[in-house]
């Protein structure tokens, strides 16, 4: 029954696209028309046969004005293209996306079609996301800007690993930088909460100079004046805090609480050994770190009576906390109502990037990875539908009569 209903709908849609729709768009009698040609396009109800004029102008312009007016992209109607893009971004592979579309909606397409569509639209989505105006600072409201960033590996083709150094031997992945900037608004509970529709994502295989410039541009889009609080929350990676010191010197810097807690847990296990004593010490010290900051934690470990060799190892592990001491005063941040976790960027690296580009057997070109990740970013931020609403079909221009 479903297949019969889809076939009937496809036939009706083909008739509409071949006649009434073209008349409504004023491309049914284009200037310079040569011949009527019928083609098969993919729609939300499956393959559709539709007929339109092929035109050729003396100035060399040629093509199908109806295709552009309807908004066809890579042989798909806008409705079908949106569905294929979303499924291609959500699924673990293009082949799985094709199977899911067939099972769920009866649309038969190939993995190559979905991949080609995303490669066509990915740059447009990246450009739209970059130029999109997010929610901005409103007058007489208490706002702050939050910036988070991280880096993770993408399995890429060998040609993209030339000149790249691996951690322990030949490199297996290429590092992609991910950043997110968004607004925080102070609520009635005196805490700062994320303002919906204010996120601006940055994805880049470029160098740090390019990446930091993109982050600055993203911050500027939020409409915050130079005196607006900027809060940077990230892990303890050296490159992040070097970038902050160079580009965002005025920022309030916070090392993600949960990353600090991981290092604290490792230190407790080193001192007490794995088991109950280490876990109990960790729970107590983590609570203390959250309520009173890192200073007391450092003193606690420095005052332990340990063998000289073990004391040296503890001192070595405490360097992490000494380095980021000013970024781990969590009691002050909580009193100010600021967040202390970098969940936004951690979630982006895991669910946005890793779950789609780091599966067994996958190898990506740089552009291929970026294109699918930009589609995935719009889907994740609930902006995918808005992109298609804003997307204006190409106008036929002088070809149409």
């Amino acid at each position: 029954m479903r297949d019969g209903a889809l076939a009937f709908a496809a036939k009706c849609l083909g008739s509409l696209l071949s006649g009434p729709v073209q008349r409504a768009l004023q491309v049914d009698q284009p200037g310079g028309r040569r011949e009527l040609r019928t083609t098969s396009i993919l729609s939300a109800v499956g393959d559709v046969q539709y007929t339109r004029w092929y035109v050729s102008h003396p100035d060399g312009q040629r093509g199908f004005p109806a295709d552009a007016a309807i908004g066809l992209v890579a042989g798909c109607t806008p409705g079908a293209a949106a569905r294929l893009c979303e499924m291609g971004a959500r699924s673990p592979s293009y082949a799985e996306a094709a199977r899911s579309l067939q099972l769920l909606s009866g649309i038969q397409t190939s993995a190559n079609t979905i991949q080609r569509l995303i490669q066509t639209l990915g740059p447009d989505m990246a450009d739209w996301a970059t130029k999109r105006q997010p929610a901005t600072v409103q007058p007489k409201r208490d706002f702050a800007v939050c910036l988070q960033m991280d880096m993770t590996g993408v399995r890429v083709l060998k040609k993209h690993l030339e000149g790249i150094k691996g951690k322990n031997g030949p490199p297996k992945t290429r590092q992609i930088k991910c950043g997110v900037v968004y607004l925080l608004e102070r609520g009635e509970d005196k805490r700062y909460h994320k303002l919906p529709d204010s996120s601006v994502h940055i994805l880049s295989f470029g160098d740090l100079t390019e990446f930091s410039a993109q982050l600055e541009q993203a911050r500027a889009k939020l409409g915050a004046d130079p005196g607006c609080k900027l809060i940077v929350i990230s892990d303890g990676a050296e490159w992040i805090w070097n970038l902050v010191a160079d580009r965002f010197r005025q920022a309030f810097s916070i090392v993600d609480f949960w990353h600090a807690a991981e290092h604290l847990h490792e230190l407790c296990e080193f001192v007490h050994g794995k088991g109950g004593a280490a876990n109990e010490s960790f729970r107590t010290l983590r609570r203390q770190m959250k309520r009173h900051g890192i200073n007391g934690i450092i003193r606690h470990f420095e005052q332990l009576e340990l063998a000289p060799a073990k004391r040296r190892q503890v001192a070595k592990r405490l360097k992490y906390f000494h380095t980021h001491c000013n970024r781990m005063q969590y009691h002050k941040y909580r009193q100010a109502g600021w967040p202390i976790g970098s969940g936004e960027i951690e979630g982006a690296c895991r669910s946005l990037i890793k779950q789609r580009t780091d599966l067994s057997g996958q190898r990506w070109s740089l552009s291929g990875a970026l294109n699918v990740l930009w589609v995935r970013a719009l889907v994740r931020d609930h902006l995918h539908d808005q992109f298609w609403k804003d997307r204006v079909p190409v106008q036929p221009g002088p070809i149409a009569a």
Side-chain angles (χ1 to χ4, degrees):
M1 289 181 64
R2 184 183 70 178
D3 291 345
L6 289 174
F8 178 75
K11 186 175 181 180
C12 293
L13 181 59
S15 297
L16 287 171
L17 292 176
S18 299
V21 171
Q22 292 185 45
R23 286 194 292 274
L25 295 172
Q26 299 182 347
V27 290
D28 57 319
Q29 297 292 322
R33 55 187 180 274
R34 291 292 181 264
E35 59 180 325
L36 285 169
R37 294 185 184 178
T38 300
T39 189
S40 177
I41 59 174
L42 185 63
S43 74
V45 294
D47 287 330
V48 169
Q49 300 291 319
Y50 104 107
T51 302
R52 73 279 195 242
W53 282 102
Y54 172 77
V55 305
S56 177
H57 256 234
D59 61 4
Q61 293 192 57
R62 61 183 65 188
F64 300 93
D67 289 3
I70 291 170
L72 299 186
V73 53
C76 301
T77 64
R83 185 172 298 182
L84 264 63
C85 279
E86 180 168 358
M87 190 63 75
R90 287 185 181 275
S91 301
S93 68
Y94 294 128
E96 183 64 29
R99 286 192 292 269
S100 297
L101 282 166
Q102 183 174 1
L103 289 172
L104 296 174
S105 59
I107 296 178
Q108 294 190 6
T109 187
S110 68
N112 288 338
T113 297
I114 299 175
Q115 182 178 9
R116 184 169 61 250
L117 184 65
I118 286 180
Q119 298 313 305
T120 299
L121 286 168
D124 293 342
M125 291 192 180
D127 184 63
W128 180 85
T130 302
K131 295 178 180 178
R132 181 186 77 94
Q133 181 57 60
T136 57
V137 170
Q138 300 299 311
K140 300 181 180 179
R141 306 270 284 275
D142 190 347
F143 282 98
V145 177
C146 188
L147 165 61
Q148 300 181 20
M149 68 191 93
D150 204 350
M151 188 186 296
T152 190
V154 174
R155 298 172 184 263
V156 298
L157 299 170
K158 284 186 177 180
K159 66 180 181 179
H160 298 302
L161 294 173
E162 295 178 3
I164 304 297
K165 293 183 179 180
K167 213 170 192 180
N168 298 302
K172 296 180 181 179
T173 61
R174 179 77 175 262
Q175 295 296 310
I176 186 172
K177 301 168 193 67
C178 182
V180 60
V181 186
Y182 57 91
L183 288 176
L184 296 168
E185 183 178 11
R186 193 179 180 92
E188 294 181 358
D189 58 359
K190 306 303 181 183
R191 299 178 61 188
Y192 285 87
H193 302 276
K194 180 182 176 182
L195 186 69
D197 194 36
S198 66
S199 293
V200 181
H201 278 92
I202 300 296
L203 296 166
S204 175
F205 283 107
D207 59 25
L208 289 179
T209 301
E210 176 186 337
F211 181 61
S212 65
Q214 291 172 328
L215 291 174
E216 178 60 46
Q217 291 170 3
R219 185 175 75 101
K221 287 180 63 175
L222 298 177
D225 61 54
C228 184
K229 289 185 291 289
L230 173 63
I231 303 169
V232 178
I233 313 174
S234 285
D235 63 27
E238 183 179 1
W239 71 270
I240 291 176
W241 301 112
N242 287 341
L243 185 153
V244 172
D246 178 61
R247 176 74 71 164
F248 305 106
R249 296 180 183 178
Q250 79 284 12
F252 296 94
S253 301
I254 303 175
V255 167
D256 169 62
F257 177 78
W258 304 106
H259 277 88
E262 286 180 11
H263 283 267
L264 179 59
H265 187 254
E266 292 172 2
L267 186 52
C268 289
E269 286 191 338
F270 176 77
V271 171
H272 300 286
K274 293 185 178 181
N279 292 335
E280 181 62 30
S281 175
F282 168 65
R283 284 192 291 269
T284 301
L285 294 174
R286 181 180 62 181
R287 185 164 53 250
Q288 180 180 340
M289 181 172 68
K290 191 172 187 178
R291 292 180 177 178
H292 307 292
I294 196 62
N295 302 63
I297 308 299
I298 294 174
R299 287 195 300 270
H300 168 82
F301 285 102
E302 288 179 339
Q303 294 170 3
L304 289 176
E305 294 185 4
L306 302 170
K310 196 164 190 175
R311 180 180 294 278
R312 287 193 294 271
Q313 289 299 315
V314 168
K316 183 177 180 181
R317 287 167 169 78
L318 282 175
K319 285 183 178 179
Y320 172 82
F321 298 101
H322 280 294
T323 299
H324 299 294
C325 181
N326 292 333
R327 305 181 185 115
M328 294 183 177
Q329 303 303 320
Y330 301 110
H331 58 303
K332 294 181 180 179
Y333 312 142
R334 295 176 70 227
Q335 288 171 4
W338 301 346
I340 58 173
S342 59
E344 284 286 325
I345 199 65
E346 294 298 319
C349 285
R350 285 195 300 269
S351 63
L352 173 62
I353 300 175
K354 282 292 188 182
Q355 289 181 8
R356 186 63 181 86
T357 63
D358 198 35
L359 300 181
S360 178
Q362 289 186 342
R363 293 294 183 273
W364 297 84
S365 67
L366 300 188
S367 61
L370 280 175
N371 286 333
V372 74
L373 290 176
W374 274 116
V375 180
R376 196 170 170 88
L378 294 193
V379 172
R380 185 176 183 270
D381 290 341
H382 308 291
L383 295 172
H384 187 248
D385 290 342
Q386 188 61 47
F387 165 80
W388 286 99
K389 289 178 182 178
D390 292 349
R391 185 174 183 269
V392 179
V394 178
Q395 296 301 314
I399 295 179

